[in-house]
Amino acid sequence: MLKILGIESSCDDTAAAIVEDGRTLLSSVVSSQIQEHQKYGGVVPEIASRRHIENIAAVVRAAMQEAAVDYAQLDGIAVTFAPGLIGSLLVGVNYAKGLAYAAGAPLIPVHHLRGHIAANYISHPELEPPFLALVVSGGHSHIVRVDDYTSFAVIGRTRDDAAGEALDKAARAMGLPYPGGLHLDLAAKDGNAQAYKFPRPHVSGSPLDFSFSGLKTAVINLLHNAEQKGETVSVPDVGASYIKAVTDFLIDNTMRATAQTGIGTIAVAGGVSANSVLRRRLQEYCDKQGISLYLPQLRHCGDNAAMIASQGYYELQKGNIANFLLNATASLSIDYI
Ligand code: KG4
Ligand code: ZN
């Protein structure tokens, strides 16, 4: 039984968790900075780094205590080293280096999006590659062929904004608090998704790619036009129609990807995988087509360290360990090795 400590600090959550053999969760602690960044309507990188520094020791200690594990029992220390906010990443990477040195355990660098995919291994112990992953977070929207635990091919990507960003910006324009995707999901619950028509975007010549900037502009224009005319719009109706447009795009391309690759298993990953409409509608489509769909439990959709510890186990199996020269990297493709 290999016990891996995971550390995550790529954005505004400081997290630590211990996972056994990549699948069994022994502890998971997440310290969120949402309230502080809410004042600014988004994450302020300098504040995020400072809070990580203040929080990380207590968060790791809490995860160790919750799992009743001591440092000598750890078989590896996995840390998110890319992609993310550089100042935030550096806090986790350096803390992990110190711990790995002190504990004499291997230091395992983990790609954040590989981690999001691995969240599904914790929620669904039976899930094994190969499968397709729809990766939808605040900064990324990809369709990824997961050939093996550490072997990935990006077969669809966004040309501009990420799905989460498109939801966050629209939510902000509607006056909803940060994080917008979550608040828009809640506000749109009883809205009429047929009330407003949004363009149905596609990227010509690249049927698996996304482009959300046109949709984002369309919703912002709709809100501005209404404001200039002194009209009020129904936030639930605009929200529901917009979420329908975003999820249509995600679902259409994902279904096309399964047809194109012949891979009949899909896992969803990243913060937007918490979206209630995406979860419900994708399940309906997959049921109809006989495709197996895996969704992370809600607690593992957003940033957490359990997913980093899980992926860390598979990276360790593959021999992907780092020395103490490991650096953080702000942007890096999921198929970097
Ligand atoms: O994966 P994540 O926690 O951080 C990144 O790696 O980016 O994703 C954050 C994104 C944000 O855009 C947030 O608005 C979105 O996930 N999000 C949601 C929901 N909960 C979080 N989007 C739609 N519906 C939700 N329920
Ligand atoms: Zn994330």
Side-chain angles (χ1 to χ4, degrees):
M1 292 284 202
L2 295 187
K3 289 184 180 59
I4 307 289
L5 166 66
I7 295 178
E8 155 65 40
S9 70
S10 67
C11 190
D12 62 339
D13 293 297
T14 321
I18 294 160
V19 173
E20 214 166 50
D21 286 352
R23 306 266 173 170
T24 311
L25 189 63
L26 300 188
S27 66
S28 180
V29 177
V30 181
S31 165
S32 163
Q33 305 174 5
I34 282 179
Q35 276 190 328
E36 193 156 2
H37 297 288
Q38 228 161 31
K39 296 193 277 257
Y40 307 99
V43 178
V44 182
E46 175 62 20
I47 294 177
S49 325
R50 286 172 189 233
R51 293 299 166 263
H52 285 309
I53 291 172
E54 289 164 10
N55 295 338
I56 195 156
V59 167
V60 170
R61 209 177 305 124
M64 295 294 288
Q65 276 168 4
E66 202 180 299
V69 164
D70 61 49
Y71 290 103
Q73 291 172 279
L74 293 177
D75 298 289
I77 294 169
V79 62
T80 307
F81 78 109
L85 300 172
I86 196 72
S88 291
L89 287 166
L90 279 169
V91 177
V93 165
N94 284 303
Y95 200 82
K97 280 186 196 177
L99 280 183
Y101 182 69
L107 176 66
I108 311 164
V110 174
H111 189 285
H112 184 74
L113 299 182
R114 292 187 181 194
H116 271 303
I117 293 172
N120 284 287
Y121 301 139
I122 298 170
S123 298
H124 309 285
E126 72 280 16
L127 175 65
E128 287 176 2
F131 58 86
L132 288 181
L134 172 65
V135 182
V136 273
S137 71
H140 299 86
S141 299
H142 286 335
I143 299 177
V144 178
R145 213 181 58 222
V146 183
D147 295 328
D148 205 344
Y149 292 103
T150 56
S151 174
F152 305 82
V154 179
I155 59 171
R157 72 197 76 224
T158 182
R159 296 298 182 93
D160 40 58
D161 297 337
E165 207 175 332
L167 293 168
D168 289 346
K169 297 263 168 68
R172 193 172 172 168
M174 286 181 228
L176 297 170
Y178 168 84
L182 169 64
H183 290 280
L184 191 60
D185 192 3
L186 297 172
K189 272 230 146 51
D190 300 316
N192 173 8
Q194 313 301 330
Y196 293 87
K197 290 275 165 284
F198 285 103
R200 215 183 158 89
H202 71 281
V203 180
S204 61
S206 303
L208 302 184
D209 282 0
F210 300 108
S211 166
F212 291 105
S213 67
L215 272 177
K216 187 186 71 183
T217 307
V219 74
I220 290 172
N221 284 347
L222 186 153
L223 295 166
H224 281 172
N225 286 341
E227 196 184 324
Q228 278 167 355
K229 290 185 198 151
E231 293 169 6
T232 48
V233 294
S234 152
V235 168
D237 288 354
V238 177
S241 306
Y242 184 70
I243 290 174
K244 167 135 192 341
V246 170
T247 52
D248 272 347
F249 201 1
L250 294 173
I251 294 170
D252 282 355
N253 286 17
T254 307
M255 299 320 271
R256 211 172 286 133
T258 59
Q260 206 175 87
T261 59
I263 300 174
T265 305
I266 298 171
V268 191
V272 181
S273 63
N275 185 265
S276 62
V277 179
L278 180 64
R279 293 174 82 92
R280 190 185 62 240
R281 295 190 57 221
L282 199 52
Q283 188 70 63
E284 287 166 7
Y285 271 81
C286 288
D287 286 349
K288 241 183 255 159
Q289 311 238 358
I291 291 164
S292 314
L293 177 68
Y294 292 89
L295 297 160
Q297 288 163 279
L298 286 179
R299 63 182 292 223
H300 296 138
C301 289
D303 290 345
N304 65 87
M307 66 187 201
I308 302 303
S310 172
Q311 182 61 23
Y313 169 80
Y314 295 105
E315 300 288 348
L316 180 65
Q317 302 282 304
K318 193 76 189 166
N320 294 339
I321 57 176
N323 62 26
F324 293 121
L325 296 175
L326 176 68
N327 204 354
T329 306
S331 51
L332 184 71
S333 175
I334 193 169
D335 55 2
Y336 67 105
I337 40 167

